[in-house]
């Protein structure tokens, strides 16, 4: 009877089993994305610490900086972080000498700019980021890498 048949989960998705040891969630795509991201993030965080930076601050440095700088809300949107998180992050980065803020006459709020130290750190962070990317995809062919990027881009929509 069709009524008694259990529907097959789409795309290899599993249905969590409540029994001990019966959970297939460790075989999901999300699980492996989290594992891979955590490994690369840990390595990158170690490298950033050598520069006197905290994990996440590289996201600010990697933005397309120009002579207009950014507002805090623009940076928060670009790095997908809460405004309070960006505030604390920029305070730390300012104390470390990576950024400075300027109030513009007649305008509300301030704009954030990279300092010379920030520009120098940005170059190093770009190299660290690319090395982390190379470790992440070292076992992939060129076409597998292109497919991975395309698929991950689709999941972010």
């Amino acid at each position: 009877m069709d009524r008694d048949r259990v529907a097959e989960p789409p795309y290899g998705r599993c249905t969590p089993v409540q029994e001990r040891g019966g959970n297939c969630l460790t075989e999901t795509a999300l699980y492996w994305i989290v594992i891979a991201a955590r490994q690369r993030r840990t390595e990158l965080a170690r490298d950033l610490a050598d520069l006197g930076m905290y994990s996440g601050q590289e996201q600010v440095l990697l933005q397309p900086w120009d002579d207009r700088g950014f507002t805090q809300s623009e940076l928060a949107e670009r790095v997908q972080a809460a405004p309070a998180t960006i505030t604390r992050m920029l305070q730390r980065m300012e104390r470390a000498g990576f950024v400075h803020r300027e109030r513009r006459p007649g305008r509300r709020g301030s704009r954030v700019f990279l300092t010379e130290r920030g520009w120098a750190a940005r170059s190093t962070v770009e190299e660290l980021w690319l090395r982390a990317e190379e470790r992440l995809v070292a076992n992939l062919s060129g076409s597998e890498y292109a497919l991975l990027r395309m698929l991950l881009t689709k999941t972010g929509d």
Side-chain angles (χ1 to χ4, degrees):
M1 289 188 129
D2 285 344
R3 223 175 51 200
D4 295 333
R5 192 170 13 148
V6 176
E8 193 66 29
Y11 308 113
R13 294 181 192 152
C14 69
T15 304
V17 177
Q18 301 302 321
E19 299 167 14
R20 184 178 210 168
N23 191 339
C24 65
L25 295 178
T26 58
E27 298 303 321
T28 61
L30 178 60
Y31 181 84
W32 290 107
I33 289 170
V34 168
I35 293 294
R38 186 181 308 134
Q39 289 171 342
R40 299 293 87 81
R41 196 83 187 126
T42 299
E43 294 167 359
L44 189 57
R46 210 173 16 250
D47 292 338
L48 291 171
D50 292 341
L51 293 173
M53 296 183 73
Y54 292 92
S55 186
Q57 292 177 346
E58 81 284 359
Q59 296 293 312
V60 171
L61 286 184
L62 293 174
Q63 296 307 309
W65 291 89
D66 60 23
D67 60 349
R68 293 173 296 185
F70 291 104
T71 64
Q72 282 188 208
S73 59
E74 289 169 339
L75 286 171
E77 185 177 320
R78 286 179 165 275
V79 303
Q80 299 291 295
T85 301
I86 286 293
T87 297
R88 286 189 305 278
M89 186 182 297
L90 291 175
Q91 288 168 345
R92 279 184 165 172
M93 292 179 78
E94 194 168 27
R95 282 193 302 269
F98 296 117
V99 298
H100 73 277
R101 299 179 220 211
E102 289 181 14
R103 287 221 177 261
R104 298 288 171 110
R107 295 198 179 156
R108 251 182 100 203
S110 61
R111 295 195 73 81
V112 181
F113 298 89
L114 290 185
T115 62
E116 288 302 315
R117 182 171 188 216
W119 282 106
R122 185 179 198 274
S123 295
T124 304
V125 166
E126 287 173 345
E127 292 172 27
L128 294 173
W129 190 270
L130 291 174
R131 274 199 311 232
E133 172 84 353
E134 288 169 9
R135 289 189 301 260
L136 175 68
V137 299
N139 295 323
L140 301 180
S141 68
S143 59
E144 288 171 331
Y145 176 69
L147 180 60
L148 176 65
R149 287 187 54 201
M150 187 266 307
L151 292 171
L152 289 173
T153 300
K154 280 180 96 171
T155 64
D157 290 343

